[in-house]
Amino acid sequence: MSDDKSRAATSSVLTKFPQKQVQEMKEAFTMIDQNRDGFIDMNDLKEMYSSLGSTPQDQQLTEMLKEAPGPLNFTMFLSIFSEKLSGTDPENTILNSFKMFDEPGKGFIEEDYLKDLLENMGDNFTKDELKQTWKQVPMVEAKVNYPEFVKLLKGREEEVA
């Protein structure tokens, strides 16, 4: 089962880029993966930067590697690039933002409350933007199921039940 999820995640990431771009990213990944073990680690980054005439601090390299939630293989490399290129925050950042407004911590926010927040706080949504957004929002008894909504926002709608 986890192999199926892994394959689905891989194919999902691969479909976000044109084939030519995937090939270019594979070449970049291979250049960075100095020891050719299929993963980018601290030593790979040090060697790559050294070949470019730079010597960043270990802390800087550690922070770079922390952007990946697990070992930095090619699929993870593509996922990180996908997030960077799409301009959206990582999934858990968006989820934590919603959690701030879910005092009971049950994964739901009252529809009227969330609409009010979106219309009156930060970058206010127009009525039309709100209407368009609400077409996609997973609802349960006038409450927004925000964990499922975040999956939808991040392109994981195939997992939404």
Side-chain angles (χ1 to χ4, degrees), residues 117-146:
L117 290 171
L118 293 172
E119 288 178 313
N120 298 305
M121 290 187 73
D123 292 334
N124 300 350
F125 276 48
T126 65
K127 294 281 186 201
D128 190 49
E129 289 170 330
L130 203 53
K131 184 178 174 183
Q132 289 298 326
T133 302
W134 238 250
K135 288 179 182 178
Q136 302 282 329
V137 174
M139 301 287 293
V140 176
E141 298 174 7
K143 295 179 183 175
V144 175
N145 180 336
Y146 65 84

PDB file of all heavy atoms in Angstrom, residues 117-146:
ATOM      1  N   LEU A 117     -13.817  36.164   8.067  1.00  0.00           N
ATOM      2  CA  LEU A 117     -12.371  36.384   8.115  1.00  0.00           C
ATOM      3  C   LEU A 117     -11.813  36.711   6.729  1.00  0.00           C
ATOM      4  O   LEU A 117     -11.004  37.629   6.575  1.00  0.00           O
ATOM      5  CB  LEU A 117     -11.657  35.138   8.661  1.00  0.00           C
ATOM      6  CG  LEU A 117     -11.850  34.813  10.133  1.00  0.00           C
ATOM      7  CD1 LEU A 117     -11.262  33.440  10.454  1.00  0.00           C
ATOM      8  CD2 LEU A 117     -11.215  35.881  11.008  1.00  0.00           C
ATOM      9  N   LEU A 118     -12.241  35.955   5.734  1.00  0.00           N
ATOM     10  CA  LEU A 118     -11.724  36.156   4.379  1.00  0.00           C
ATOM     11  C   LEU A 118     -12.160  37.488   3.772  1.00  0.00           C
ATOM     12  O   LEU A 118     -11.444  38.071   2.960  1.00  0.00           O
ATOM     13  CB  LEU A 118     -12.153  34.998   3.469  1.00  0.00           C
ATOM     14  CG  LEU A 118     -11.527  33.642   3.807  1.00  0.00           C
ATOM     15  CD1 LEU A 118     -12.176  32.532   2.982  1.00  0.00           C
ATOM     16  CD2 LEU A 118     -10.024  33.660   3.606  1.00  0.00           C
ATOM     17  N   GLU A 119     -13.319  37.958   4.160  1.00  0.00           N
ATOM     18  CA  GLU A 119     -13.813  39.234   3.630  1.00  0.00           C
ATOM     19  C   GLU A 119     -13.271  40.448   4.382  1.00  0.00           C
ATOM     20  O   GLU A 119     -13.226  41.547   3.824  1.00  0.00           O
ATOM     21  CB  GLU A 119     -15.347  39.280   3.695  1.00  0.00           C
ATOM     22  CG  GLU A 119     -16.021  38.386   2.690  1.00  0.00           C
ATOM     23  CD  GLU A 119     -17.538  38.415   2.822  1.00  0.00           C
ATOM     24  OE1 GLU A 119     -18.050  38.297   3.958  1.00  0.00           O
ATOM     25  OE2 GLU A 119     -18.197  38.557   1.778  1.00  0.00           O
ATOM     26  N   ASN A 120     -12.849  40.262   5.633  1.00  0.00           N
ATOM     27  CA  ASN A 120     -12.533  41.422   6.464  1.00  0.00           C
ATOM     28  C   ASN A 120     -11.127  41.460   7.069  1.00  0.00           C
ATOM     29  O   ASN A 120     -10.799  42.406   7.765  1.00  0.00           O
ATOM     30  CB  ASN A 120     -13.562  41.519   7.596  1.00  0.00           C
ATOM     31  CG  ASN A 120     -14.952  41.726   7.056  1.00  0.00           C
ATOM     32  OD1 ASN A 120     -15.206  42.648   6.304  1.00  0.00           O
ATOM     33  ND2 ASN A 120     -15.861  40.819   7.407  1.00  0.00           N
ATOM     34  N   MET A 121     -10.306  40.443   6.827  1.00  0.00           N
ATOM     35  CA  MET A 121      -8.955  40.442   7.391  1.00  0.00           C
ATOM     36  C   MET A 121      -7.922  40.248   6.287  1.00  0.00           C
ATOM     37  O   MET A 121      -8.166  39.547   5.314  1.00  0.00           O
ATOM     38  CB  MET A 121      -8.799  39.315   8.418  1.00  0.00           C
ATOM     39  CG  MET A 121      -9.586  39.554   9.693  1.00  0.00           C
ATOM     40  SD  MET A 121      -9.211  38.319  10.946  1.00  0.00           S
ATOM     41  CE  MET A 121      -7.578  38.816  11.436  1.00  0.00           C
ATOM     42  N   GLY A 122      -6.761  40.846   6.468  1.00  0.00           N
ATOM     43  CA  GLY A 122      -5.658  40.650   5.523  1.00  0.00           C
ATOM     44  C   GLY A 122      -6.014  41.117   4.121  1.00  0.00           C
ATOM     45  O   GLY A 122      -6.607  42.177   3.942  1.00  0.00           O
ATOM     46  N   ASP A 123      -5.662  40.308   3.132  1.00  0.00           N
ATOM     47  CA  ASP A 123      -6.035  40.600   1.745  1.00  0.00           C
ATOM     48  C   ASP A 123      -7.480  40.166   1.560  1.00  0.00           C
ATOM     49  O   ASP A 123      -7.758  38.988   1.322  1.00  0.00           O
ATOM     50  CB  ASP A 123      -5.133  39.832   0.758  1.00  0.00           C
ATOM     51  CG  ASP A 123      -3.708  40.335   0.771  1.00  0.00           C
ATOM     52  OD1 ASP A 123      -3.497  41.510   1.121  1.00  0.00           O
ATOM     53  OD2 ASP A 123      -2.807  39.556   0.425  1.00  0.00           O
ATOM     54  N   ASN A 124      -8.384  41.111   1.690  1.00  0.00           N
ATOM     55  CA  ASN A 124      -9.810  40.804   1.677  1.00  0.00           C
ATOM     56  C   ASN A 124     -10.259  40.182   0.360  1.00  0.00           C
ATOM     57  O   ASN A 124      -9.899  40.646  -0.719  1.00  0.00           O
ATOM     58  CB  ASN A 124     -10.630  42.076   1.920  1.00  0.00           C
ATOM     59  CG  ASN A 124     -10.306  42.718   3.253  1.00  0.00           C
ATOM     60  OD1 ASN A 124      -9.624  42.145   4.085  1.00  0.00           O
ATOM     61  ND2 ASN A 124     -10.795  43.923   3.444  1.00  0.00           N
ATOM     62  N   PHE A 125     -11.063  39.126   0.475  1.00  0.00           N
ATOM     63  CA  PHE A 125     -11.682  38.511  -0.689  1.00  0.00           C
ATOM     64  C   PHE A 125     -12.864  39.369  -1.117  1.00  0.00           C
ATOM     65  O   PHE A 125     -13.596  39.891  -0.278  1.00  0.00           O
ATOM     66  CB  PHE A 125     -12.227  37.118  -0.337  1.00  0.00           C
ATOM     67  CG  PHE A 125     -11.213  36.017  -0.401  1.00  0.00           C
ATOM     68  CD1 PHE A 125      -9.970  36.120   0.198  1.00  0.00           C
ATOM     69  CD2 PHE A 125     -11.516  34.830  -1.052  1.00  0.00           C
ATOM     70  CE1 PHE A 125      -9.053  35.084   0.150  1.00  0.00           C
ATOM     71  CE2 PHE A 125     -10.612  33.798  -1.103  1.00  0.00           C
ATOM     72  CZ  PHE A 125      -9.375  33.915  -0.504  1.00  0.00           C
ATOM     73  N   THR A 126     -13.058  39.496  -2.422  1.00  0.00           N
ATOM     74  CA  THR A 126     -14.274  40.129  -2.921  1.00  0.00           C
ATOM     75  C   THR A 126     -15.389  39.082  -2.849  1.00  0.00           C
ATOM     76  O   THR A 126     -15.117  37.887  -2.672  1.00  0.00           O
ATOM     77  CB  THR A 126     -14.105  40.585  -4.386  1.00  0.00           C
ATOM     78  OG1 THR A 126     -13.933  39.423  -5.209  1.00  0.00           O
ATOM     79  CG2 THR A 126     -12.925  41.538  -4.550  1.00  0.00           C
ATOM     80  N   LYS A 127     -16.630  39.533  -3.006  1.00  0.00           N
ATOM     81  CA  LYS A 127     -17.769  38.598  -3.004  1.00  0.00           C
ATOM     82  C   LYS A 127     -17.593  37.553  -4.103  1.00  0.00           C
ATOM     83  O   LYS A 127     -17.865  36.378  -3.901  1.00  0.00           O
ATOM     84  CB  LYS A 127     -19.092  39.351  -3.200  1.00  0.00           C
ATOM     85  CG  LYS A 127     -19.458  40.281  -2.075  1.00  0.00           C
ATOM     86  CD  LYS A 127     -20.033  39.525  -0.904  1.00  0.00           C
ATOM     87  CE  LYS A 127     -20.515  40.514   0.150  1.00  0.00           C
ATOM     88  NZ  LYS A 127     -20.631  39.903   1.461  1.00  0.00           N
ATOM     89  N   ASP A 128     -17.106  37.984  -5.279  1.00  0.00           N
ATOM     90  CA  ASP A 128     -16.917  37.069  -6.399  1.00  0.00           C
ATOM     91  C   ASP A 128     -15.814  36.045  -6.097  1.00  0.00           C
ATOM     92  O   ASP A 128     -15.963  34.855  -6.382  1.00  0.00           O
ATOM     93  CB  ASP A 128     -16.591  37.839  -7.675  1.00  0.00           C
ATOM     94  CG  ASP A 128     -16.637  36.951  -8.894  1.00  0.00           C
ATOM     95  OD1 ASP A 128     -17.626  36.208  -9.059  1.00  0.00           O
ATOM     96  OD2 ASP A 128     -15.661  36.981  -9.682  1.00  0.00           O
ATOM     97  N   GLU A 129     -14.701  36.503  -5.510  1.00  0.00           N
ATOM     98  CA  GLU A 129     -13.614  35.574  -5.146  1.00  0.00           C
ATOM     99  C   GLU A 129     -14.093  34.544  -4.124  1.00  0.00           C
ATOM    100  O   GLU A 129     -13.772  33.364  -4.222  1.00  0.00           O
ATOM    101  CB  GLU A 129     -12.415  36.339  -4.581  1.00  0.00           C
ATOM    102  CG  GLU A 129     -11.653  37.143  -5.602  1.00  0.00           C
ATOM    103  CD  GLU A 129     -10.634  38.077  -4.979  1.00  0.00           C
ATOM    104  OE1 GLU A 129     -10.843  38.555  -3.836  1.00  0.00           O
ATOM    105  OE2 GLU A 129      -9.627  38.326  -5.643  1.00  0.00           O
ATOM    106  N   LEU A 130     -14.880  35.016  -3.170  1.00  0.00           N
ATOM    107  CA  LEU A 130     -15.414  34.121  -2.156  1.00  0.00           C
ATOM    108  C   LEU A 130     -16.348  33.090  -2.781  1.00  0.00           C
ATOM    109  O   LEU A 130     -16.269  31.894  -2.481  1.00  0.00           O
ATOM    110  CB  LEU A 130     -16.156  34.947  -1.100  1.00  0.00           C
ATOM    111  CG  LEU A 130     -16.314  34.340   0.271  1.00  0.00           C
ATOM    112  CD1 LEU A 130     -14.995  33.880   0.853  1.00  0.00           C
ATOM    113  CD2 LEU A 130     -16.972  35.325   1.206  1.00  0.00           C
ATOM    114  N   LYS A 131     -17.198  33.549  -3.696  1.00  0.00           N
ATOM    115  CA  LYS A 131     -18.131  32.652  -4.383  1.00  0.00           C
ATOM    116  C   LYS A 131     -17.372  31.589  -5.175  1.00  0.00           C
ATOM    117  O   LYS A 131     -17.719  30.401  -5.132  1.00  0.00           O
ATOM    118  CB  LYS A 131     -19.027  33.476  -5.311  1.00  0.00           C
ATOM    119  CG  LYS A 131     -20.099  32.692  -6.017  1.00  0.00           C
ATOM    120  CD  LYS A 131     -20.952  33.611  -6.874  1.00  0.00           C
ATOM    121  CE  LYS A 131     -21.942  32.837  -7.690  1.00  0.00           C
ATOM    122  NZ  LYS A 131     -22.725  33.716  -8.568  1.00  0.00           N
ATOM    123  N   GLN A 132     -16.312  31.989  -5.882  1.00  0.00           N
ATOM    124  CA  GLN A 132     -15.504  31.050  -6.665  1.00  0.00           C
ATOM    125  C   GLN A 132     -14.806  30.046  -5.753  1.00  0.00           C
ATOM    126  O   GLN A 132     -14.762  28.854  -6.045  1.00  0.00           O
ATOM    127  CB  GLN A 132     -14.461  31.796  -7.503  1.00  0.00           C
ATOM    128  CG  GLN A 132     -15.018  32.579  -8.659  1.00  0.00           C
ATOM    129  CD  GLN A 132     -15.714  31.680  -9.674  1.00  0.00           C
ATOM    130  OE1 GLN A 132     -15.321  30.557  -9.911  1.00  0.00           O
ATOM    131  NE2 GLN A 132     -16.762  32.199 -10.273  1.00  0.00           N
ATOM    132  N   THR A 133     -14.262  30.530  -4.660  1.00  0.00           N
ATOM    133  CA  THR A 133     -13.560  29.663  -3.715  1.00  0.00           C
ATOM    134  C   THR A 133     -14.518  28.650  -3.110  1.00  0.00           C
ATOM    135  O   THR A 133     -14.196  27.468  -2.991  1.00  0.00           O
ATOM    136  CB  THR A 133     -12.896  30.497  -2.593  1.00  0.00           C
ATOM    137  OG1 THR A 133     -11.994  31.426  -3.182  1.00  0.00           O
ATOM    138  CG2 THR A 133     -12.161  29.629  -1.596  1.00  0.00           C
ATOM    139  N   TRP A 134     -15.707  29.106  -2.736  1.00  0.00           N
ATOM    140  CA  TRP A 134     -16.658  28.256  -2.037  1.00  0.00           C
ATOM    141  C   TRP A 134     -17.183  27.116  -2.907  1.00  0.00           C
ATOM    142  O   TRP A 134     -17.688  26.123  -2.390  1.00  0.00           O
ATOM    143  CB  TRP A 134     -17.800  29.085  -1.454  1.00  0.00           C
ATOM    144  CG  TRP A 134     -17.856  28.877   0.026  1.00  0.00           C
ATOM    145  CD1 TRP A 134     -18.817  28.212   0.719  1.00  0.00           C
ATOM    146  CD2 TRP A 134     -16.892  29.300   0.989  1.00  0.00           C
ATOM    147  NE1 TRP A 134     -18.503  28.190   2.051  1.00  0.00           N
ATOM    148  CE2 TRP A 134     -17.325  28.851   2.252  1.00  0.00           C
ATOM    149  CE3 TRP A 134     -15.693  29.991   0.930  1.00  0.00           C
ATOM    150  CZ2 TRP A 134     -16.619  29.078   3.416  1.00  0.00           C
ATOM    151  CZ3 TRP A 134     -14.990  30.223   2.087  1.00  0.00           C
ATOM    152  CH2 TRP A 134     -15.460  29.771   3.307  1.00  0.00           C
ATOM    153  N   LYS A 135     -17.019  27.217  -4.222  1.00  0.00           N
ATOM    154  CA  LYS A 135     -17.433  26.122  -5.110  1.00  0.00           C
ATOM    155  C   LYS A 135     -16.624  24.863  -4.825  1.00  0.00           C
ATOM    156  O   LYS A 135     -17.082  23.757  -5.074  1.00  0.00           O
ATOM    157  CB  LYS A 135     -17.251  26.509  -6.578  1.00  0.00           C
ATOM    158  CG  LYS A 135     -18.234  27.529  -7.086  1.00  0.00           C
ATOM    159  CD  LYS A 135     -17.950  27.846  -8.544  1.00  0.00           C
ATOM    160  CE  LYS A 135     -18.887  28.905  -9.071  1.00  0.00           C
ATOM    161  NZ  LYS A 135     -18.593  29.240 -10.469  1.00  0.00           N
ATOM    162  N   GLN A 136     -15.412  25.022  -4.324  1.00  0.00           N
ATOM    163  CA  GLN A 136     -14.490  23.908  -4.104  1.00  0.00           C
ATOM    164  C   GLN A 136     -14.382  23.458  -2.650  1.00  0.00           C
ATOM    165  O   GLN A 136     -13.830  22.406  -2.374  1.00  0.00           O
ATOM    166  CB  GLN A 136     -13.082  24.328  -4.574  1.00  0.00           C
ATOM    167  CG  GLN A 136     -12.988  24.744  -6.015  1.00  0.00           C
ATOM    168  CD  GLN A 136     -12.963  23.543  -6.935  1.00  0.00           C
ATOM    169  OE1 GLN A 136     -12.471  22.494  -6.566  1.00  0.00           O
ATOM    170  NE2 GLN A 136     -13.496  23.702  -8.127  1.00  0.00           N
ATOM    171  N   VAL A 137     -14.876  24.262  -1.725  1.00  0.00           N
ATOM    172  CA  VAL A 137     -14.651  24.010  -0.298  1.00  0.00           C
ATOM    173  C   VAL A 137     -15.415  22.772   0.190  1.00  0.00           C
ATOM    174  O   VAL A 137     -16.623  22.692   0.029  1.00  0.00           O
ATOM    175  CB  VAL A 137     -15.075  25.246   0.542  1.00  0.00           C
ATOM    176  CG1 VAL A 137     -14.992  24.963   2.031  1.00  0.00           C
ATOM    177  CG2 VAL A 137     -14.214  26.444   0.193  1.00  0.00           C
ATOM    178  N   PRO A 138     -14.694  21.811   0.792  1.00  0.00           N
ATOM    179  CA  PRO A 138     -15.375  20.650   1.375  1.00  0.00           C
ATOM    180  C   PRO A 138     -16.117  21.066   2.646  1.00  0.00           C
ATOM    181  O   PRO A 138     -15.511  21.610   3.565  1.00  0.00           O
ATOM    182  CB  PRO A 138     -14.246  19.667   1.698  1.00  0.00           C
ATOM    183  CG  PRO A 138     -12.972  20.314   1.302  1.00  0.00           C
ATOM    184  CD  PRO A 138     -13.251  21.704   0.877  1.00  0.00           C
ATOM    185  N   MET A 139     -17.409  20.818   2.671  1.00  0.00           N
ATOM    186  CA  MET A 139     -18.254  21.245   3.788  1.00  0.00           C
ATOM    187  C   MET A 139     -18.898  20.044   4.477  1.00  0.00           C
ATOM    188  O   MET A 139     -19.232  19.055   3.838  1.00  0.00           O
ATOM    189  CB  MET A 139     -19.374  22.153   3.275  1.00  0.00           C
ATOM    190  CG  MET A 139     -18.913  23.406   2.557  1.00  0.00           C
ATOM    191  SD  MET A 139     -18.247  24.635   3.655  1.00  0.00           S
ATOM    192  CE  MET A 139     -19.694  25.091   4.553  1.00  0.00           C
ATOM    193  N   VAL A 140     -19.091  20.193   5.796  1.00  0.00           N
ATOM    194  CA  VAL A 140     -19.821  19.213   6.592  1.00  0.00           C
ATOM    195  C   VAL A 140     -20.677  20.006   7.569  1.00  0.00           C
ATOM    196  O   VAL A 140     -20.135  20.696   8.439  1.00  0.00           O
ATOM    197  CB  VAL A 140     -18.871  18.263   7.362  1.00  0.00           C
ATOM    198  CG1 VAL A 140     -19.661  17.325   8.261  1.00  0.00           C
ATOM    199  CG2 VAL A 140     -17.987  17.493   6.413  1.00  0.00           C
ATOM    200  N   GLU A 141     -21.989  19.972   7.383  1.00  0.00           N
ATOM    201  CA  GLU A 141     -22.924  20.661   8.275  1.00  0.00           C
ATOM    202  C   GLU A 141     -22.539  22.119   8.514  1.00  0.00           C
ATOM    203  O   GLU A 141     -22.360  22.555   9.652  1.00  0.00           O
ATOM    204  CB  GLU A 141     -23.032  19.901   9.601  1.00  0.00           C
ATOM    205  CG  GLU A 141     -23.565  18.496   9.440  1.00  0.00           C
ATOM    206  CD  GLU A 141     -23.548  17.695  10.732  1.00  0.00           C
ATOM    207  OE1 GLU A 141     -23.238  18.257  11.804  1.00  0.00           O
ATOM    208  OE2 GLU A 141     -23.841  16.497  10.657  1.00  0.00           O
ATOM    209  N   ALA A 142     -22.398  22.894   7.452  1.00  0.00           N
ATOM    210  CA  ALA A 142     -22.075  24.332   7.495  1.00  0.00           C
ATOM    211  C   ALA A 142     -20.715  24.618   8.136  1.00  0.00           C
ATOM    212  O   ALA A 142     -20.474  25.697   8.664  1.00  0.00           O
ATOM    213  CB  ALA A 142     -23.182  25.135   8.167  1.00  0.00           C
ATOM    214  N   LYS A 143     -19.835  23.635   8.082  1.00  0.00           N
ATOM    215  CA  LYS A 143     -18.474  23.815   8.581  1.00  0.00           C
ATOM    216  C   LYS A 143     -17.496  23.415   7.480  1.00  0.00           C
ATOM    217  O   LYS A 143     -17.716  22.451   6.763  1.00  0.00           O
ATOM    218  CB  LYS A 143     -18.213  22.949   9.819  1.00  0.00           C
ATOM    219  CG  LYS A 143     -19.048  23.351  11.010  1.00  0.00           C
ATOM    220  CD  LYS A 143     -18.772  22.446  12.177  1.00  0.00           C
ATOM    221  CE  LYS A 143     -19.681  22.823  13.346  1.00  0.00           C
ATOM    222  NZ  LYS A 143     -19.522  21.899  14.460  1.00  0.00           N
ATOM    223  N   VAL A 144     -16.411  24.180   7.379  1.00  0.00           N
ATOM    224  CA  VAL A 144     -15.380  23.903   6.392  1.00  0.00           C
ATOM    225  C   VAL A 144     -14.445  22.828   6.949  1.00  0.00           C
ATOM    226  O   VAL A 144     -13.911  22.972   8.046  1.00  0.00           O
ATOM    227  CB  VAL A 144     -14.573  25.182   6.068  1.00  0.00           C
ATOM    228  CG1 VAL A 144     -13.410  24.868   5.131  1.00  0.00           C
ATOM    229  CG2 VAL A 144     -15.479  26.247   5.472  1.00  0.00           C
ATOM    230  N   ASN A 145     -14.275  21.764   6.173  1.00  0.00           N
ATOM    231  CA  ASN A 145     -13.315  20.709   6.521  1.00  0.00           C
ATOM    232  C   ASN A 145     -11.968  21.183   5.981  1.00  0.00           C
ATOM    233  O   ASN A 145     -11.591  20.899   4.851  1.00  0.00           O
ATOM    234  CB  ASN A 145     -13.756  19.391   5.880  1.00  0.00           C
ATOM    235  CG  ASN A 145     -12.820  18.254   6.187  1.00  0.00           C
ATOM    236  OD1 ASN A 145     -11.648  18.449   6.492  1.00  0.00           O
ATOM    237  ND2 ASN A 145     -13.343  17.045   6.081  1.00  0.00           N
ATOM    238  N   TYR A 146     -11.235  21.942   6.797  1.00  0.00           N
ATOM    239  CA  TYR A 146     -10.032  22.589   6.282  1.00  0.00           C
ATOM    240  C   TYR A 146      -8.869  21.631   5.991  1.00  0.00           C
ATOM    241  O   TYR A 146      -8.110  21.896   5.068  1.00  0.00           O
ATOM    242  CB  TYR A 146      -9.598  23.780   7.148  1.00  0.00           C
ATOM    243  CG  TYR A 146      -9.154  23.460   8.540  1.00  0.00           C
ATOM    244  CD1 TYR A 146      -7.854  23.059   8.804  1.00  0.00           C
ATOM    245  CD2 TYR A 146     -10.015  23.593   9.602  1.00  0.00           C
ATOM    246  CE1 TYR A 146      -7.438  22.775  10.090  1.00  0.00           C
ATOM    247  CE2 TYR A 146      -9.614  23.317  10.888  1.00  0.00           C
ATOM    248  CZ  TYR A 146      -8.326  22.907  11.132  1.00  0.00           C
ATOM    249  OH  TYR A 146      -7.907  22.638  12.403  1.00  0.00           O
TER     250      TYR A 146
END
